[in-house]
Amino acid sequence: MDIDSGATAWVLTSSALVLFMTPGLAFFYGGMVRSKNVLGMLMQNVFSMGVVSVLWVAVGFSLAFGDGGSLIGDLSLAGLGDLGREGFTLPGYVDDLALTIPPVAFAIFQMMFAVITPALITGAVADRMRFAAYAVFIAAWSLLVYAPVAHWVFSPTGWLFALGALDFAGGAVVHINAGAAALVLCLVLGRRKGWPATPMPPHNLPFTVLGTGILWFGWFGFNAGSALGANGLAAQAFLNTNTAAAAGMLGWLVVERVRTGHATTLGAASGAVAGLVAITPCAGFVGGTSAIAIGAVASGLCFLAISLKTKLGYDDSLDVVGVHLVGGLVGSLLLGVFADTSVNSAAADGLLFGGGATLLGKQVVASVVTFAYSAVVTLVLAKLIDLTIGLRVSGEDEDRGLDVSQHAEVAYNM
Amino acid sequence: MQKIVTAVVKPFKLDDVKAALQQAGVTGMTVTEVQGFGRQGGHTEVYRGAEYQVDFQPKVRIEVVCAADRVDQVIDAISQGARTGKIGDGKVWVTEAERVVRIRTGEMGDDAI
């Protein structure tokens, strides 16, 4: 198929929007930690832009989208040198799935997803992970977890794609995947010193609200860019993204107001992000008012899920499990309810649109498999790193804060 | 003899206190942001549904060095400026300044004020 200049322009623009989400995430999380750990948090996120970008060009893209079969790609596209060749076609992207953008543009767009996904995990392990351990962890996780899961779900040659499980922009690949890793990693690391007896309130909520704005803005590239075209589907995904973020914010604030008596800025920010997470798998498959229901239901459930962590006693410090794992699961499963082929004929109908429970079943499979694979490999990686270089900073370094102990810097000087 | 009048007041009353002190002829003061608690106690903050009891309230500490015979006027001005009538308005206390020296000129005592 011919290259479409409009589609190419939109996907390249979307790639830049998605890249911008990672510093946005850094500020979203950075505002929530204590002031002695803010640089540590910003650094963990920004570092992902460095290490994952290089790995993606070297081998990551090839492992995710190369022609290795249904479980993982291969190394044939390593270095991305072949992608610009005249007449090159990515494995599986033929017939109805033929791309109207250059394969290089597709690789760039996918790179930005690979960058932000491991960065999502950092919120769960805030304030206590050694930087060296983190660096090794996300490099390994990116290749051993992200690349294969992206292959299964996103690549037309992957087995979950072939099964018919739907994931428009990464409910499973990004959010369930990172959320499962976050849960395991925070369990292996253990709680922050003093948690939950000592209050550890956010040191700069304005950062968090700023980060939310950047995330919301970038998410238009994430979801509407995933249409891989400049067309009606992209517009539908764009609309759904904004609607779910808005409904997510309102849903959270209502639940919060009823339960605690206040509508908080952190609640508005968290609810918007929960709505964005939940609409991610659905963005190009649902229409009408479905996005309102998905955003509101997801954010209400995320709020309730967060209260579980103190009851169960795991220190998911900034609620990656509560927002991304739960939001990703809710979105992926609700897609089995709200998917509508009149919006996207390449999809299937959900429970409410005459498709029965078939799609919902496939969504359950994709969600469970992604969760299980990510959790198991994360556990092995975390244990290996803990035994070799050590996962956690010393108690003294934790007291001093990551900024000075890991990076020899201080965020705020008089 | 010189005295130090120290007051801890509500931060939003600082401007009123400053105006009252200037009105009373005070020409200088030192202001610090501090935290603490008295009868008012702390307050509650809520983050993602979790409530935290925060014991320390933000307050402003004001220090005025003045001649001993001006102390009553300074205390009155601060009290007047800082009073809301609600719990947490703060306190004023007076201590002795053993020596006061103006650094630029070396003037001492009341001349240094």
Side-chain angles (χ1 to χ4, degrees), chain A residues 1 25 101 174 385 394 408:
Chain A
M1 194 178 282
L25 182 71
I101 58 171
V174 175
I385 293 171
S394 69

Side-chain angles (χ1 to χ4, degrees), chain A:
Chain A
M1 194 178 282
D2 290 336
I3 297 301
D4 182 297
S5 62
T8 306
W10 172 235
V11 171
L12 288 173
T13 305
S14 291
S15 304
L17 286 169
V18 179
L19 175 78
F20 194 40
M21 290 171 72
T22 299
L25 182 71
F27 278 94
F28 179 72
Y29 284 160
M32 280 187 260
V33 298
R34 290 165 292 171
S35 56
K36 63 183 176 182
N37 295 310
V38 59
L39 292 176
M41 178 51 75
L42 298 181
M43 179 64 169
Q44 287 187 354
N45 283 273
V46 168
F47 184 73
S48 184
M49 293 159 70
V51 72
V52 177
S53 295
V54 168
L55 285 175
W56 190 251
V57 171
V59 290
F61 179 77
S62 191
L63 289 173
F65 292 95
D67 195 8
S70 64
L71 290 179
I72 192 159
D74 58 10
L75 295 178
S76 61
L77 306 177
L80 306 185
D82 283 346
L83 267 61
R85 236 181 38 225
E86 189 68 33
F88 175 85
T89 310
L90 281 167
Y93 288 91
V94 291
D95 304 326
D96 286 353
L97 297 170
L99 295 172
T100 60
I101 58 171
V104 174
F106 180 76
I108 295 169
F109 183 61
Q110 289 295 337
M111 183 194 311
M112 305 318 177
F113 285 61
V115 165
I116 194 169
T117 304
L120 293 171
I121 302 167
T122 59
V125 301
D127 304 1
R128 59 201 189 280
M129 191 166 179
R130 287 188 63 199
F131 182 67
Y134 171 77
V136 172
F137 175 81
I138 64 158
W141 194 89
S142 179
L143 297 179
L144 298 177
V145 181
Y146 183 80
V149 173
H151 184 77
W152 302 345
V153 179
F154 283 161
S155 168
T157 63
W159 75 276
L160 286 171
F161 188 101
L163 177 76
L166 298 178
D167 191 356
F168 194 72
V173 176
V174 175
H175 297 289
I176 296 176
N177 202 5
L183 177 59
V184 170
L185 200 53
C186 81
L187 285 171
V188 176
L189 263 173
R191 306 163 170 192
R192 285 168 294 175
K193 270 177 91 172
W195 187 88
T198 314
M200 301 178 186
H203 91 285
N204 189 337
L205 282 180
F207 273 179
T208 300
V209 176
L210 172 72
T212 304
I214 297 173
L215 284 171
W216 191 326
F217 176 72
W219 228 294
F220 293 127
F222 207 88
N223 289 355
S226 290
L228 299 176
N231 49 31
L233 186 61
Q236 181 68 56
F238 200 117
L239 174 65
N240 286 338
T241 302
N242 195 70
T243 306
M249 180 197 289
L250 299 182
W252 188 296
L253 292 177
V254 167
V255 178
E256 186 179 56
R257 180 75 169 77
V258 170
R259 306 251 312 193
T260 71
H262 292 90
T264 65
T265 51
L266 180 58
S270 310
V273 171
L276 288 163
V277 168
I279 202 64
T280 297
C282 313
F285 297 126
V286 303
T289 54
S290 298
I292 298 177
I294 292 166
V297 168
S299 79
L301 289 174
C302 287
F303 180 90
L304 298 175
I306 285 172
S307 61
L308 282 178
K309 77 170 174 182
T310 22
K311 288 194 188 110
L312 298 177
Y314 63 94
D315 184 11
D316 169 22
S317 310
L318 312 181
D319 303 310
V320 182
V321 174
V323 174
H324 293 274
L325 179 59
V326 174
L329 282 170
V330 170
S332 294
L333 299 181
L334 285 183
L335 181 54
V337 175
F338 289 106
D340 180 357
T341 47
S342 70
V343 171
N344 187 338
S345 59
D349 280 318
L351 210 52
L352 286 181
F353 291 85
T358 317
L359 177 60
L360 184 57
K362 293 170 181 175
Q363 296 304 108
V364 171
V365 172
S367 300
V368 170
V369 167
T370 302
F371 177 87
Y373 179 76
S374 176
V376 169
V377 181
T378 300
L379 180 62
V380 173
L381 278 175
K383 287 289 185 190
L384 280 177
I385 293 171
D386 201 23
L387 289 171
T388 48
I389 52 182
L391 214 48
R392 187 166 178 145
V393 296
S394 69
E396 193 192 333
D397 283 353
E398 190 175 343
D399 288 337
R400 291 163 71 214
L402 296 185
D403 296 5
V404 79
S405 75
Q406 302 300 296
H407 306 294
E409 293 169 297
V410 173
Y412 307 104
N413 281 304
M414 283 283 282

Side-chain angles (χ1 to χ4, degrees), chain A residues 28 32 199 201-202 205 260 266 270 318-319, chain B residues 44-54:
Chain A
F28 179 72
M32 280 187 260
L205 282 180
T260 71
L266 180 58
S270 310
L318 312 181
D319 303 310
Chain B
T44 306
E45 295 178 12
V46 190
Y47 300 101
R48 285 182 170 162
E51 293 192 2
Y52 297 107
Q53 180 62 31
V54 179

